[in-house]
Amino acid sequence: MEPGQSQVDLHTVVDVEISALSVSDSPRTSGENQEHIELLAVADAPLPPIIVHRGTLRVIDGAHRLRAAERRGWSTIPVRFFDGDDADAFVLAVESNTGHGLPLTKAERKRAAERIIASHPIWSNRMIASIAGVAPATVAKVRRRMPGGASAERGRVGQDGRFRPLDGAQGRRLAAELIAADPDLSLRQIAQRTGISPETARDVRNRISRGEEPLLAARGKRGGQPERGPGRPPGPRPAFGGSATRTRMPVADRRRVLDRLKGDPALRYSDTGRTLLRLLGIHTVSPEEWEKITDGLPQGHRRTVAQLARAYADNWSELAHRAAGREAAAPVGVREVQGPGGHRAVPGGMW
């Protein structure tokens, strides 16, 4: 991720009078390197455009090239403009001098990291480290020495641009607040706004729907049961599709309900309806057939299949949530369906 580069006009290069430009607020506190300037001045190659802050005409990246251009007798120099505030301009200056040209000294990089922490405290240690060219542990050490220490923010923004709470419990609390305020938010929207994963957002939503607290149980508990201790054998493997907390709709009932849905013209004669029926038909596979499928998975593909299955499960969970809407007539996790013999209650959720 390159925070400063996104604010540089990469498509436009203009010639600017050298006399109009200034050099200040550089992360290179040791000053300019005269030997490096001389090498650039005598090199038989064009000088790449420098980066200049549009509002102040201050050089952000390219001070040595500017001096080399003066040595060559140029009156103008090619420039790309940066649009942003002074704090982001400094970040770009550090980022540029770390990525190419004459490297910053170790002391200059540490001082740069300290300044970036002060101006962008929400950025993660790893993100700042990648910009300043130091180790994440160095950034963490510098952060701890600064006023406010390491616990001044709710969370941090990583190199992928996502916000992550420093406290996982806080992320779950934020998700619960969002769900209460807007139950129709998607899992991805909740995840993006709180920094938790979509899977965690789904767990929070499911806990709330069951009337449980959004936070995880205390360490040492798993699913409300005592954690298995050393030497204690694991419990029996549940049947595929089974659950300790909820009974699934039998396969025969799924097929009957699906047959009823297939008879609805609103589904049969629309593209989206036919797609839905085709997808629902996949889940009329019996538990025995699912067992055969899972047992026959090649070892080298099990991790990939597991990742895909979880992603698809998220999609089905979203569909279940949206399809249920705001219905509150039936108890949580139960819905009424029309089947042979009239209406009866069946477990809700994914079939």
Side-chain angles (χ1 to χ4, degrees):
M1 180 172 184
E2 300 182 352
Q5 295 288 356
S6 62
Q7 295 169 279
V8 177
D9 184 354
L10 298 176
H11 303 292
T12 306
V13 177
V14 298
D15 288 333
V16 176
E17 293 284 340
I18 291 177
S19 59
L21 303 175
S22 66
V23 179
S24 62
D25 198 28
S26 170
R28 198 178 300 281
T29 55
S30 58
E32 298 167 353
N33 186 300
Q34 296 302 318
E35 182 179 355
H36 187 63
I37 292 172
E38 191 61 31
L39 286 173
L40 292 175
V42 300
D44 187 18
L47 297 174
I50 65 175
I51 299 177
V52 172
H53 190 272
R54 192 189 300 272
T56 62
L57 293 183
R58 177 170 55 83
V59 176
I60 296 173
D61 176 41
H64 288 104
R65 277 169 279 163
L66 178 68
R67 301 306 179 207
E70 291 177 323
R71 295 279 183 91
R72 293 184 180 187
W74 294 4
S75 60
T76 63
I77 189 170
V79 164
R80 286 194 174 99
F81 282 113
F82 168 84
D83 295 289
D85 59 23
D86 289 340
D88 286 340
F90 182 79
V91 169
L92 178 56
V94 175
E95 189 178 26
S96 300
N97 281 283
T98 301
H100 65 261
L102 188 66
L104 299 174
T105 67
K106 183 177 180 179
E108 288 169 340
R109 283 181 273 130
K110 288 182 68 174
R111 279 193 289 270
E114 182 174 349
R115 180 165 167 180
I116 295 172
I117 292 170
S119 64
H120 298 78
I122 201 172
W123 284 1
S124 71
N125 293 341
R126 190 171 297 278
M127 182 173 181
I128 294 174
S130 69
I131 293 169
V134 297
T138 300
V139 178
K141 185 176 180 180
V142 171
R143 193 192 293 270
R144 285 194 295 269
R145 291 201 308 262
M146 297 178 65
S151 59
E153 315 86 36
R154 289 188 301 112
R156 304 261 170 79
V157 174
Q159 289 177 272
D160 59 0
R162 289 182 56 196
F163 175 84
R164 292 176 175 83
L166 294 178
D167 180 3
Q170 177 66 10
R172 283 177 168 267
R173 291 190 191 96
L174 292 172
E177 292 173 5
L178 284 175
I179 293 169
D182 188 353
D184 293 327
L185 284 175
S186 71
L187 296 177
R188 294 196 180 279
Q189 287 174 319
I190 296 168
Q192 289 171 354
R193 295 187 190 185
T194 61
I196 62 178
S197 68
E199 178 66 22
T200 301
R202 180 164 67 89
D203 182 66
V204 171
R205 174 180 282 167
N206 289 342
R207 285 172 178 272
I208 292 174
S209 71
R210 296 193 297 265
E212 300 175 4
E213 289 292 324
L215 303 184
L216 293 172
R219 191 177 297 275
K221 299 280 187 179
R222 191 179 298 273
Q225 298 297 324
E227 187 176 22
R228 178 166 53 89
R232 179 178 174 181
R237 180 184 178 187
F240 195 95
S243 171
T245 60
R246 184 172 61 183
T247 304
R248 301 287 182 179
M249 181 188 288
V251 174
D253 286 347
R254 298 183 209 175
R255 288 171 177 158
R256 281 195 290 269
V257 173
L258 183 59
D259 287 341
R260 179 178 62 82
L261 292 175
K262 288 179 178 178
D264 188 339
L267 295 174
R268 289 176 59 189
Y269 300 116
S270 70
D271 290 339
T272 55
R274 286 192 295 270
T275 298
L276 176 62
L277 292 173
R278 185 170 62 254
L279 293 173
L280 289 172
I282 296 172
H283 296 280
T284 58
V285 175
S286 69
E288 292 77 15
E289 290 173 298
W290 277 121
E291 289 287 357
K292 290 180 182 178
I293 292 171
T294 54
D295 290 343
L297 282 174
Q299 189 64 36
H301 297 306
R302 286 179 176 267
R303 183 186 296 272
T304 301
V305 171
Q307 291 173 337
L308 287 171
R310 292 190 187 100
Y312 297 153
D314 282 342
N315 291 337
W316 279 114
S317 180
E318 270 302 286
L319 175 61
H321 173 72
R322 291 174 180 266
R326 300 180 184 273
E327 291 179 347
V332 174
V334 175
R335 58 182 302 186
E336 294 261 328
V337 299
Q338 174 70 48
H343 287 275
R344 59 192 179 85
V346 298
M350 198 55 250
W351 296 341

